[in-house]
Amino acid sequence: MSHSVQRLRLVIRGAVQGVGFRPFVYRLATELGLRSWVLNSVQGVFIELEGEPPTLQRFVKRLYVEKPPRASIQSMEQSVLEPVGYTGFEIRHSEHTGEKTTLILPDLATCPDCVREIFDPTNRRYRYPFTNCTNCGPRYSIIEPLPYDHPNTTMKAFNMCARCREEYENPLDRRFHAQPNACPECGPHLELWNEQGGVLAQHDTALRRAAEAIREGHIVAIKGLGGFHLVADARNEQAVSTLRERKRREEKPFALMYPSLHLVRVHCRVNEAEERVLVSPESPIVLLRREQDDVAPSVAPNNLFLGVMLPYTPLHHLLMHELGFPIVATSGNQSDEPICTDEHEALQRLAGIADLFLVHNRPIARHVDDSVVRVLMGRELLLRRARGYAPLPVLVKEPLPPLLGVGAHLKNTVALSIGRQVFISQHIGDLETPQALQAFRRVITDVKALWEHQPQAVACDLHPDYLSTQTAYQMGYSVVPIQHHAAHVLSCMAENEVEPPVLGISWDGTGYGTDGTVWGGEFLLVTTASFERFAHLRPFRLPGGDRAVKEPRRSALGVLYELLGERALEVVGHLFTDSERRLLLHMLRQGIHSPVTTSAGRLFDAVASLVHGRQVVNDEGQAAMELEFLAHRVRSDEAYPFALLDGCPYVLDWSPTVQAILEDVRSGVEPAQIAVRFHNTLVEMMVAVARRAGLERVALSGGCFQNAYLTERAVRRLSEAGFRPCWHQRVPPNDGGIALGQVVGAGWFYTNASHESRG
């Protein structure tokens, strides 16, 4: 079979049954020479297609454009899988088996028909910021209990007028059973408030005055679909730096909203795949390579990329039409807190940040942040899974018992299994504050209530100090701890429908190991029964423990102490004060508050400290990101030496690599050249271990695989070496995917226990 053939799975939900959708799919697929099948199921329409990638993408484009007149696609999940060798295309019998789970659709971007209406002066919804139809608008953010019906949404306080009711009840109307259907006569409305909650303006005047305030350099908190945005003129350095100062967000990039795709193309490099994601119904933030710096320097300091989205609600379309320039549209919260959803709460929590509040009276049932995507090798890689994607499920091969996964401590999500479906919550965030912990517990309650399932057990991280782990043990269910890096690999395998045995490469910043040390540069052999630690990066100490996360200089000291002993201070001693040097040396000598780690993330930090002088960061991963940006600047296949030491497990010795880096630094080699050689070396380490393991299948997971250069090169080199790598697409490689892996791991635990009891 040709290696260029792919199998594309599409899971389509919406008005696609009983409208001639399957015969249409059959005609289109056979016309394009694609093979496989289509069927209706109780979960939606499932399509599998095998063919050349360009032909598969033509099918997807034509599916949207040429679908039957009464069909509407509300969501379409795409997954690229290994081909199985179908010889023709067939319409399979409808599948009625399995649990009839109620699928809750995510919130979807405003469709073109509704956009046309809000800008049509003759239409009754002209400039109405809550326009929607069956094909678009709020879903997950307004649902209270199931079933999804108007009285069970936050729209229940708004009684439809006669004209809206007529649309809602007409099967031929595109607003047939559109639960949030409303118009200016009967629906929600806008108000502009001052910092005390005093009403300054209403309806369209409120929107126009908010736009005027943004033009004048003010910061406006805007209540949107799943919560508040803090908005400022992205061209105005004073406004953006003021927002940074007030929000206490020192360097982490701000997301931008652009008025048009045309202007995005002026400022950024946009390929066809990135454009497709930008204008999709999910409408996430997309990371794009900067081309022209027409935004304020404080938007994304020291960053090659901008996080860009297009307007995705009528309110945003109207606002951006008024402004005509990009705005900062960052989450309405203080750092490390969940996003605000209620206007009265926002007055308290955003006091001192926002100058004005543009609010509305449609309640938000649950917070939903903007999703974040980067495109790798023509595919979506979700970095934050929220609006547009959550809570759609991942389909696993075998049914699972009802299991709840409570995720990790950072980038938290939770997951619930129902049969073959694992529903993953929206992004919750880092469990660093009481507000974040409260939001986490609220989402757990919400997930169980929405699907009316009580879990048989709760899966959690092995780390005893994670608040998610502690919560799991307080819930009164059986608890199944799953090792952090095993959960990463299982998440990647589940998403890609890959069966064991697999070599999992799980690289990140921190994860609690089965031996009580800090893992993070792991190679795991995954079998049907368990996982085995096959290899790892050479360990080193982290002086100060968690403080090293924010101080790459400490990681550099730990790496060099492992390599050079106390002579390490000859290299990096100048980065510390006299008292710090004495204290840190004592800690390393005695092994006090200096945990042993194999962390790939901290190794990245150490090299960043040595190569481009990044000694202190404000966000985990910042130093590694800057090292990646350097690697993008040059092209080279050069790599540094390393050693693979025999043992059980094998140890990847980076000491020859670090010694060569130190020599290059002393010799004045360009930092970008060192960065690309370091990245290439890490990939060659992966290939060396894969060859030693001898398994064809390799799964790449963990926060380090957010790095585009590392991931793309790893996939290419592993493929060239004869392996079949898989990586994440619609589930984040970072800790946002841990909950899925926990559920799958706990499912394996119960399956094996069942087999043993029968044996």
Side-chain angles (χ1 to χ4, degrees), residues 726-748:
C726 63
W727 62 99
H728 287 275
Q729 298 176 70
R730 300 179 74 86
V731 176
N734 58 44
D735 284 5
I738 285 286
L740 169 62
Q742 290 172 343
V743 165
V744 172
W748 284 14

Side-chain angles (χ1 to χ4, degrees), residues 218-251:
H218 296 292
I219 297 165
V220 180
I222 298 179
K223 184 181 179 184
L225 197 64
F228 274 80
H229 280 135
L230 289 165
V231 168
D233 182 350
R235 308 164 306 170
N236 185 329
E237 174 62 21
Q238 180 62 47
V240 177
S241 58
T242 298
L243 178 55
R244 280 205 179 279
E245 182 182 338
R246 292 180 182 178
K247 190 171 164 150
R248 293 183 291 216
R249 181 164 163 165
E250 296 180 34
E251 292 184 271

Side-chain angles (χ1 to χ4, degrees), residues 23 37 77 107 163 177 191 195 199 246 251 312 317 320 393 486 489 529 532 565 584 623 657 686 705 729 748:
W37 49 263
E77 289 185 75
D107 302 297
R163 295 173 75 179
H177 281 194
E191 291 185 346
E195 293 172 280
V199 179
R246 292 180 182 178
E251 292 184 271
Y312 58 83
H317 278 283
M320 299 311 293
V489 175
E532 171 194 339
L584 291 170
T657 307
M686 298 180 201
F705 291 102
Q729 298 176 70
W748 284 14

Side-chain angles (χ1 to χ4, degrees), residues 256-435:
L256 298 175
M257 182 176 285
Y258 272 73
S260 67
L261 183 60
H262 169 74
L263 191 57
V264 175
R265 288 201 195 99
V266 171
H267 290 184
C268 302
R269 189 184 305 172
V270 186
N271 63 34
E272 184 179 349
E274 289 163 341
E275 180 178 325
R276 174 174 55 80
V277 178
L278 277 169
V279 302
S280 68
E282 293 82 8
S283 192
I285 298 167
V286 182
L287 300 187
L288 301 174
R289 185 76 175 262
R290 302 166 82 141
E291 288 280 277
Q292 184 175 317
D293 273 335
D294 282 1
V295 297
S298 291
V299 166
N302 305 310
N303 204 305
L304 283 183
F305 295 85
L306 293 176
V308 172
M309 59 182 156
L310 292 172
Y312 58 83
T313 72
L315 172 59
H316 292 118
H317 278 283
L318 292 165
L319 179 69
M320 299 311 293
H321 181 74
E322 287 290 308
L323 294 173
F325 54 76
I327 58 172
V328 167
T330 187
S331 300
N333 55 9
Q334 289 274 12
S335 291
D336 297 326
E337 290 185 2
I339 190 171
C340 287
T341 57
D342 176 80
E343 51 271 29
H344 299 286
E345 176 195 25
L347 287 177
Q348 304 298 319
R349 287 178 53 199
L350 303 181
I353 304 178
D355 300 311
L356 294 169
F357 295 78
L358 182 63
V359 304
H360 58 75
N361 59 337
R362 181 177 70 201
I364 296 171
R366 61 189 53 79
H367 78 279
V368 186
D369 286 272
D370 297 313
S371 294
V372 181
V373 167
R374 82 184 304 175
V375 174
L376 293 185
M377 295 165 284
R379 303 186 192 177
E380 294 171 58
L381 175 70
L382 268 171
L383 304 181
R384 184 168 75 192
R385 190 178 191 272
R387 178 182 52 77
Y389 299 89
L392 291 175
V394 170
L395 201 65
V396 295
K397 188 170 183 180
E398 299 294 335
L400 296 172
L403 298 166
L404 177 71
V406 294
H409 185 71
L410 303 178
K411 299 179 176 65
N412 182 271
T413 60
V414 302
L416 179 69
S417 58
I418 302 175
R420 291 182 59 207
Q421 297 179 103
V422 183
F423 295 91
I424 306 173
S425 78
Q426 72 275 32
H427 167 82
I428 300 167
D430 299 351
L431 306 184
E432 298 282 346
T433 64
Q435 294 90 342

Side-chain angles (χ1 to χ4, degrees), residues 175-197:
R175 293 191 166 91
F176 176 61
H177 281 194
Q179 307 304 340
N181 190 31
C183 72
E185 182 182 332
C186 63
H189 71 273
L190 292 174
E191 291 185 346
L192 185 66
W193 290 1
N194 62 22
E195 293 172 280
Q196 291 74 43

